Amino acid sequence: MTFIQRAKKLDIGCFVNIKTIRDHTKRKAFAEFEAQRQALRYAVRNTTLPPRTRAIAQLQLSQMHCYTRPTQIRNRCILGGKGRGVFSDFKMTRYNFRLNALAGNLPGVKKASW
């Protein structure tokens, strides 16, 4: 079983809090093991393979680290680190998006008026 480890030296300047560091670690782990995970999932779902092979693949898949699952990755705000109310196009929460849009920091975004 492989262990997912955080980098020895992190550039703390780009991270806001421990949740964003953990999310960064999860994204790296997912990217590293994605191909292996897809191969195992294919082996489990392939009904032409013998049941023993499928069971072994299922066991290996269940023993993989939880950080390798795509459901562990969460969109977080790049400015505040919050995990809720995040616009995925801008990677910002609603509040930070509003502040930056009103300040004119987001190109192509302006306040609507009709």
Side-chain angles (χ1 to χ4, degrees):
M1 187 170 146
T2 58
F3 292 99
I4 310 301
Q5 292 184 354
R6 223 177 276 150
K8 297 286 183 199
K9 186 175 181 183
L10 285 174
D11 181 18
I12 301 297
C14 64
F15 297 109
V16 178
N17 54 22
I18 189 66
K19 290 181 181 177
T20 54
I21 294 173
R22 190 177 301 131
D23 186 61
H24 179 71
T25 305
K26 289 178 182 181
R27 287 176 189 275
K28 282 178 30 181
F30 172 71
E32 182 181 345
F33 290 100
E34 182 179 13
Q36 180 182 356
R37 194 169 178 80
Q38 284 181 347
L40 287 172
R41 287 184 66 202
Y42 175 76
V44 169
R45 293 178 178 178
N46 190 355
T47 56
T48 60
L49 292 175
R52 182 171 172 78
T53 307
R54 293 175 62 199
I56 291 171
Q58 177 65 45
L59 185 63
Q60 289 176 348
L61 189 62
S62 66
Q63 287 178 344
M64 288 183 82
H65 198 276
C66 66
Y67 283 6
T68 61
R69 297 180 192 137
T71 56
Q72 291 286 318
I73 296 173
R74 185 171 184 94
N75 288 338
R76 293 202 165 270
C77 177
I78 56 174
L79 299 176
K82 286 183 66 175
R84 290 185 170 238
V86 178
F87 290 133
S88 58
D89 292 338
F90 297 95
K91 296 182 182 172
M92 281 190 244
T93 56
R94 298 176 306 210
Y95 180 70
N96 285 326
F97 175 78
R98 185 172 192 274
L99 290 180
N100 283 299
L102 291 176
N105 297 334
L106 301 176
V109 177
K110 65 178 188 174
K111 188 172 180 179
S113 61
W114 60 87

